[in-house]
Amino acid sequence: SIEGLRTADVSARRSAARAIAYEAALQPLPSFALERIGKLMRTEGDALVWAEILRAASQTGDFCAHELAMAALLHGESDVRRRACEYLTNCGDERHCEAVAKLLVDRDPVVAKAALLALGKCGPPQNRQPVYALLSSVDVQQQVYAAQTVARWN
């Protein structure tokens, strides 16, 4: 299935990614497989392929899965960045908070909200000011998420 991620045909890559996610739901992927997938995903532009691969990665707490999610934070598609935040929310690892904090100013407010939720789980970034600034956002939902995040830190 992993080899299917190499093809130029996006439909084939999507099918391969779905198969990988299905396999991961049955049994978490081994580190070597996640490492190979991570190398292939560096140039993947399709959000649906990323969605399935992040779903597969969510079945494990492996370092390679975390690295995959960290790479997804930099993706051009907002849905991929949002899913990466959701993955990192579930693992709650403080090593991710600085990278996640950069998404508080994402051009897509849904990504910024997902980043707030992730920061609530992984802990405060060194600079907490961007989160505090969101407490007075014009977006009421963003205010609530910011308040929940700050409350989790205390």
Side-chain angles (χ1 to χ4, degrees), residues 48-110:
L48 295 177
V49 173
W50 269 102
E52 294 294 346
I53 295 303
L54 287 170
R55 188 164 63 99
S58 72
Q59 303 300 316
T60 179
D62 186 275
F63 175 77
C64 293
H66 295 306
E67 291 299 307
L68 190 61
M70 294 294 285
L73 290 175
L74 304 173
H75 198 273
E77 292 283 333
S78 61
D79 189 55
V80 175
R81 295 190 306 278
R82 178 190 57 80
R83 288 177 189 273
C85 287
E86 290 171 356
Y87 172 87
L88 295 170
T89 298
N90 291 331
C91 68
D93 190 326
E94 64 185 26
R95 294 175 295 173
H96 306 125
C97 50
E98 297 306 320
V100 171
K102 292 177 183 175
L103 294 179
L104 292 173
V105 295
D106 196 274
R107 65 186 173 274
D108 185 336
V110 174

Side-chain angles (χ1 to χ4, degrees), residues 1-3 5-6 20 23 27-40 42 60 62-65 68:
S1 298
I2 294 173
E3 291 307 311
L5 295 175
R6 291 185 187 277
I20 291 167
E23 291 171 22
Q27 181 176 0
L29 298 173
S31 293
F32 73 87
L34 285 168
E35 187 174 355
R36 284 184 58 207
I37 291 168
K39 289 177 182 174
L40 292 169
R42 288 180 188 156
T60 179
D62 186 275
F63 175 77
C64 293
L68 190 61

